[in-house]
Amino acid sequence: MSSGVGPALGMAVYGAGRAGRALVAAALRAGVAVQTIWTRSPETARRAARELGCHVASGPQLPTADGVQLALLAVSDEVVADLTRALTEAGALANVRVVAHLGGALGVEVLAPARELGCAVGSLHPLRSLVGASSGLEGCWCALDGDPLAVNELRHLAKLIGCRTVKVGADARALYHAGAALAANDVVALLAAAAEALQAAGLHDGDALGAAVDLARSAIDNVARLGTAAALTGPAARGDAVTISRHLAALAGLRPDLADIHRELSRQLVALSRQQGTPPDRLQHLLDVLDRA
Ligand SMILES: NC(=O)c1ccc[n+]([C@@H]2O[C@H](COP(=O)([O-])OP(=O)(O)OC[C@H]3O[C@@H](n4cnc5c(N)ncnc54)[C@H](OP(=O)(O)O)[C@@H]3O)[C@@H](O)[C@H]2O)c1
């Protein structure tokens, strides 16, 4: 099937979890020929077939990717090495040009058995929280790494599905993934902490999380529009040490580790408040309070 951008791309995808289903759905929408989809368990295969509207194989028998340009291993990071070995031993990767995984921190050396077979190896990590076929990838940044041929092929796929790409080599991979975890995972922990405090203050269970998400969304929208320093509101932006010390005391009464988190993040906010023009004496007073708390 021709896509109009570069040569036609044929794919096989092993693993139909959250990311695998999102990638396959985006590829199908872009007109990519996804010739094989396999996942380990029949339950996941049924779910994937329902979401994607196509056949998804499952079970111990690994279907062949013979002749496709790209075999994507969309499985949990710790499984990639074993699955590569199993696919190689089963002869499933014969004549495949590129084998890639979707891990963010994982190097491409785990794909060594495929490289020994003559495949170029690489990785494509989408910087988006994916939960299945409903997760769009349009506009998403993807970090690429690997052999030049693999990086080219993965860049081609990324372009077809509307993603932007950046090459992130092995040395920077852990730092890159830490940045991704701060944005995607630590935000979830912060929302859980915020909901816990709101609930302890009297909001009902479901309302507390909804209110926290609504507030966070407005803050994220402001950051996207204005940048971090200009978007900052609240007591740290005003250099209001009294209010923040009252927060810390209240959080310490609820769960001391939440007070620790708030204290450390308030320190980070002082730097942004400085850029915003908050008077230095107020910010110094806030830092003194944070040091003493
Ligand atoms: N989800 C995201 O937001 C996201 C974003 C960027 C990158 N990624 C990357 O995408 C990859 C997959 O993550 P995910 O979020 O899709 O995980 P997931 O939803 O938990 O799916 C994991 C997949 O791995 C398979 N699997 C687990 N253990 C296995 C084993 N022992 N043998 C064979 N297959 C096994 C599962 O198969 P069954 O379910 O069939 O058992 C499933 O297909 C990871 O490399 C992750 O870093 C994920």
Side-chain angles (χ1 to χ4, degrees):
M1 200 177 303
S2 175
S3 56
V5 184
L9 183 65
M11 266 171 69
V13 179
Y14 296 91
R18 299 173 186 89
R21 298 198 301 279
L23 255 296
V24 171
L28 291 173
R29 278 195 297 274
V32 173
V34 185
Q35 288 153 7
T36 301
I37 312 170
W38 170 89
T39 196
R40 176 183 55 168
S41 73
E43 301 79 49
T44 305
R46 269 195 296 276
R47 178 173 188 169
R50 211 171 39 244
E51 286 187 20
L52 298 165
C54 55
H55 174 70
V56 177
S58 64
Q61 179 84 30
L62 291 167
T64 179
D66 195 354
V68 302
Q69 280 98 324
L70 175 60
L72 268 190
L73 310 194
V75 292
S76 317
D77 287 14
E78 65 274 16
V79 177
V80 173
D82 285 350
L83 181 60
T84 309
R85 207 168 307 112
L87 285 166
T88 312
E89 284 167 10
L93 298 179
N95 306 313
V96 173
R97 272 157 62 88
V98 173
V99 177
H101 66 68
L102 300 179
L106 193 66
V108 298
E109 63 286 348
V110 288
L111 301 170
R115 194 185 251 154
E116 282 159 24
L117 212 62
C119 309
V121 301
S123 65
L124 175 151
H125 179 255
L127 268 180
R128 190 160 286 175
S129 176
L130 306 170
V131 294
S134 63
S135 298
L137 281 152
E138 194 67 34
C140 169
W141 279 99
C142 291
L144 308 180
D145 193 21
D147 301 332
L149 175 67
V151 169
N152 272 345
E153 203 73 69
L154 292 167
R155 192 177 287 124
H156 176 46
L157 171 67
K159 198 167 175 184
L160 285 175
I161 62 177
C163 295
R164 297 171 280 181
T165 58
V166 58
K167 173 96 167 36
V168 181
D171 292 352
R173 222 55 206 188
L175 198 54
Y176 158 81
H177 200 246
L182 280 165
N185 313 138
D186 294 0
V187 161
V188 177
L190 277 180
L191 286 171
E196 193 176 332
L198 292 175
Q199 198 181 337
L203 274 79
H204 288 298
D205 191 1
D207 293 343
L209 184 59
V213 168
D214 187 62
L215 183 55
R217 197 177 277 135
S218 63
I220 288 173
D221 285 347
N222 288 337
V223 171
R225 225 162 26 87
L226 305 170
T228 47
L232 184 63
T233 59
R238 296 189 289 271
D240 179 352
V242 173
T243 300
I244 289 187
S245 60
R246 290 185 66 214
H247 292 173
L248 293 174
L251 287 172
L254 179 65
R255 245 180 57 190
D257 57 320
L258 295 187
D260 295 341
I261 291 170
H262 191 48
R263 187 182 311 102
E264 285 314 310
L265 289 177
S266 297
R267 272 191 235 282
Q268 299 297 314
L269 294 182
V270 167
L272 293 178
S273 306
R274 200 170 281 129
Q275 289 174 40
Q276 208 184 63
T278 307
D281 56 327
R282 287 183 71 81
L283 291 178
Q284 189 53 54
H285 181 48
L286 173 53
L287 282 174
D288 294 343
V289 166
L290 293 173
D291 284 344
R292 278 200 305 272

